[in-house]
Amino acid sequence: MVRPLLLLLVYVVAWTVLKSFWPAMARGWRRWVLLGGSALSLAVWLVPAIAGRNAEVPALLRIVATGWSISAIIIFLVGGPLALLRRWLDRRAQAKTSPDVMTTQGQVPQAPPPVSVPESAPSGTPAPHSTQASALESLTSARMSRRNLLTNAGRAVPLLAVGTSTAGLASGSMGFKVESVEVRLPGLPAALDGFRIGQITDVHVGTFIDTQYLRDTVAAMNEAKVDLQVMTGDLIDDLDQLDATMAALEECRAPHGMLAVLGNHEHWRGLDEVVEAYAKSQSRGGPVRLLVDESHTFEHGGQRVRVVGVDYPMSGRSHRVKAARMKQSAEQAFQGVSPDEVVLCLTHHPDFFDHAAERGARLTLAGHTHGGQVAFFGMPAFFFAFQYMLGRYRRGDHQLYVSGGTGHWLPFRLGVPPEVTVLTLRSA
């Protein structure tokens, strides 16, 4: 219920901002359009909160609610400060131009004696009161200019909000790109020089992502002829599509198959069902294997490789990441690691990188953050939300790659397109 309440607050503030810059918005049909859109959007977000996360909401309504909410948030974040600044300027101007009526002793101040211009003053010399009036007029004009500037900027905010939300929704619906990444690792054995890994993560099969989209991502990794495919969590949101989802993963043609780990959405949507589906796929001889605080080894060109996969560090349905749970996963999953092995680590949450590096993982692959889904000039807009948000990170000879995500549960992206990542290992 927290999210709908926060959105309600955002809608109220956005409404206030719009009325401040566009008074006509509070009258006639415009008012009913704004109220109706806000009520519909709020209802869409309330359905999962009341009926459960698996409650069905038509995709079109979710898209409309998403666009409406993003527009309101932009008006809140951009228009709110402009409205407050304009109000502050108005109060400051009023305070400086209003005369004091009473002195501190409660007496009415006497008007100052009139100032006369000496007869000997040169012709054309302005009177003192004329100079003061001119200065006051200039000051008032400057304040009005600043106020008009803020007003015009505030009136442009709704256009900015609608344009940004439309562009983000369009970008989020345009499909994935194949992102090629070269990872140079010091001391990498010659047998693994050129080893290729295909990564998908945060697919979120459900309302906005169907199983055909997932098939296309697996096909892209097959076409890239990767040696190993990995899926780093948040595979599915709609368990009614679970069988078709596993069938799509089983189209993997990589020589070393596909290794997967769990994300927070598997825990939320139905952990037992997802784990069972992975187990059935493996029992059928499929190429997909789930790693839950365990590891899998294989040989490539005579070199032994160990891939460690860890569970998402949470308890029950809690959103909080458990540091103790993360440490426990590390201690269990890295058991049996040998010095002659090249160790790779799969984790949904990127914060596990520190534990993986300490235990010798040369490369850690993660997802979860979606790269914030918004970035400007390559810099995530919400870089402060996670220690490791997007792209490559180093800790000594150990590296982490955080994917921007292959799908989404919210169809809005700007500057962070969905990606299928193809990583090529090279000896540094």
Side-chain angles (χ1 to χ4, degrees):
M1 290 295 291
V2 174
R3 185 180 299 169
L5 289 176
L6 288 176
L7 281 175
L8 177 60
L9 174 62
V10 168
Y11 293 160
V12 170
V13 174
W15 168 267
T16 304
V17 171
L18 286 175
K19 284 201 306 180
S20 172
F21 291 113
W22 294 90
M25 287 289 185
R27 298 192 294 269
W29 62 270
R30 299 178 184 85
R31 176 179 60 184
W32 295 112
V33 168
L34 288 173
L35 290 176
S38 298
L40 175 63
S41 178
L42 198 61
V44 169
W45 297 118
L46 275 171
V47 168
I50 296 174
R53 292 181 180 274
N54 293 324
E56 288 293 330
V57 177
L60 180 60
L61 287 181
R62 290 193 65 176
I63 291 174
V64 171
T66 299
W68 192 274
S69 299
I70 291 170
S71 297
I73 290 171
I74 293 174
I75 293 173
F76 173 88
L77 294 176
V78 180
L82 291 176
L84 290 175
L85 183 56
R86 191 180 72 162
R87 186 174 182 181
W88 175 76
L89 286 176
D90 289 344
R91 287 187 173 183
R92 186 181 178 193
Q94 184 178 6
K96 288 193 174 184
T97 55
S98 298
D100 295 330
V101 178
M102 301 294 289
T103 64
T104 55
Q105 289 80 17
Q107 299 175 345
V108 178
Q110 299 296 319
V115 179
S116 58
V117 180
E119 294 183 3
S120 59
S123 177
T125 299
H129 68 272
S130 175
T131 303
Q132 293 172 0
S134 177
L136 180 60
E137 183 179 349
S138 299
L139 180 60
T140 302
S141 177
R143 288 171 180 161
M144 289 301 297
S145 297
R146 287 195 294 268
R147 189 182 191 281
N148 290 338
L149 178 63
L150 289 173
T151 300
N152 291 332
R155 288 178 175 175
V157 168
L159 301 178
L160 171 67
V162 173
T164 301
S165 62
T166 302
L169 290 171
S171 177
S173 304
M174 290 179 63
F176 62 86
K177 69 169 185 174
V178 177
E179 181 74 14
S180 297
V181 178
E182 189 173 88
V183 181
R184 294 194 169 274
L185 299 173
L188 183 73
L192 295 180
D193 190 68
F195 187 84
R196 291 160 69 81
I197 305 171
Q199 180 193 12
I200 57 175
T201 187
D202 300 275
V203 181
H204 295 286
V205 173
T207 302
F208 300 110
I209 302 293
D210 59 18
T211 54
Q212 182 57 51
Y213 182 95
L214 178 59
R215 289 178 184 272
D216 292 340
T217 67
V218 175
M221 292 189 288
N222 289 337
E223 185 177 346
K225 300 187 184 307
V226 299
D227 300 293
L228 171 68
Q229 296 184 15
V230 301
M231 197 286 154
T232 50
D234 279 6
L235 171 64
I236 188 168
D237 287 338
D238 180 9
L239 296 186
D240 289 339
Q241 303 184 56
L242 186 54
D243 290 341
T245 296
M246 297 311 300
L249 294 183
E250 289 170 358
E251 294 185 2
C252 165
R253 299 293 178 263
H256 300 294
M258 177 184 290
L259 300 176
V261 295
L262 299 169
N264 50 307
H265 279 247
E266 283 88 348
H267 281 264
W268 290 340
R269 301 299 183 182
L271 181 62
D272 293 340
E273 293 91 333
V274 172
V275 171
E276 182 181 0
Y278 274 113
K280 287 182 177 179
S281 175
Q282 187 175 349
S283 67
R284 293 193 294 265
V288 185
R289 177 175 181 144
L290 177 66
L291 301 177
V292 184
D293 292 342
E294 58 187 311
S295 63
H296 172 72
T297 59
F298 60 85
E299 285 194 2
H300 183 84
Q303 173 61 50
R304 187 176 173 87
V305 179
R306 183 181 293 270
V307 181
V308 174
V310 297
D311 196 1
Y312 188 81
M314 64 184 290
S315 298
R317 297 175 64 86
S318 171
H319 288 254
R320 296 183 60 187
V321 172
K322 305 291 186 179
R325 180 73 179 82
M326 208 177 278
K327 183 178 179 181
Q328 179 184 342
S329 291
E331 292 172 349
Q332 181 176 338
F334 278 85
Q335 289 180 0
V337 173
S338 173
D340 63 338
E341 298 172 336
V342 173
V343 181
L344 308 176
C345 180
L346 307 180
T347 173
H348 186 60
H349 202 296
D351 280 2
F352 190 81
F353 174 49
D354 296 335
H355 295 278
E358 288 173 0
R359 289 163 175 78
R362 304 298 304 279
L363 174 65
T364 300
L365 301 179
H368 186 55
T369 67
H370 296 212
Q373 296 197 191
V374 178
F376 302 103
F377 307 105
M379 174 64 70
F382 308 106
F383 63 90
F384 50 84
F386 292 94
Q387 182 180 1
Y388 306 112
M389 173 61 82
L390 177 65
R392 284 194 274 193
Y393 299 88
R394 294 176 181 270
R395 184 176 175 185
D397 291 339
H398 311 278
Q399 294 192 39
L400 164 70
Y401 183 80
V402 183
S403 168
T406 308
H408 45 247
W409 56 267
L410 181 71
F412 180 89
R413 285 179 178 266
L414 278 178
V416 187
E419 67 177 77
V420 170
T421 317
V422 175
L423 302 105
T424 303
L425 307 188
R426 294 294 184 189
S427 179

